[in-house]
């Protein structure tokens, strides 16, 4: 009998003040969202949601 594949659970990480500062800096520099996601190890959706909550634009095309 084969074992059932279990889904890896994603653990939430809180946003630190340093994370928010970096996000704002990337916003000002118009860094592509995919690149920010790789650097911060967060999903594109998480970055976009946080930027929306902070009221800042994100990505090189706005």
């Amino acid at each position: 009998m084969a074992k059932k594949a279990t889904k890896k659970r994603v653990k939430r990480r809180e946003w630190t003040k340093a994370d928010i500062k970096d996000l704002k800096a990337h916003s000002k520099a118009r860094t592509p969202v995919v690149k920010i996601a790789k650097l911060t190890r967060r999903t594109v959706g998480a970055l976009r949601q946080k930027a929306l909550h902070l009221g800042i634009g994100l990505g090189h095309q706005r």
Side-chain angles (χ1 to χ4, degrees):
M1 217 157 53
K3 276 191 176 181
K4 217 178 199 183
T6 56
K7 227 178 178 182
K8 190 174 182 183
R9 301 216 46 159
V10 177
K11 193 128 188 185
R12 289 185 53 155
R13 277 188 328 187
E14 293 294 320
W15 284 87
T16 63
K17 287 186 179 185
D19 290 338
I20 293 169
K21 192 176 177 183
D22 286 343
L23 187 62
K24 286 182 178 179
H26 283 297
S27 173
K28 201 170 205 98
R30 292 185 181 261
T31 312
V33 185
V34 176
K35 194 171 183 181
I36 303 170
K38 286 179 183 174
L39 291 170
T40 58
R41 293 178 44 224
R42 293 184 187 269
T43 63
V44 173
L47 293 169
R48 289 197 184 279
Q49 281 297 314
K50 192 62 176 179
L52 183 71
H53 181 76
L54 293 171
I56 59 174
L58 206 60
H60 68 291
Q61 293 178 332
R62 295 187 229 169

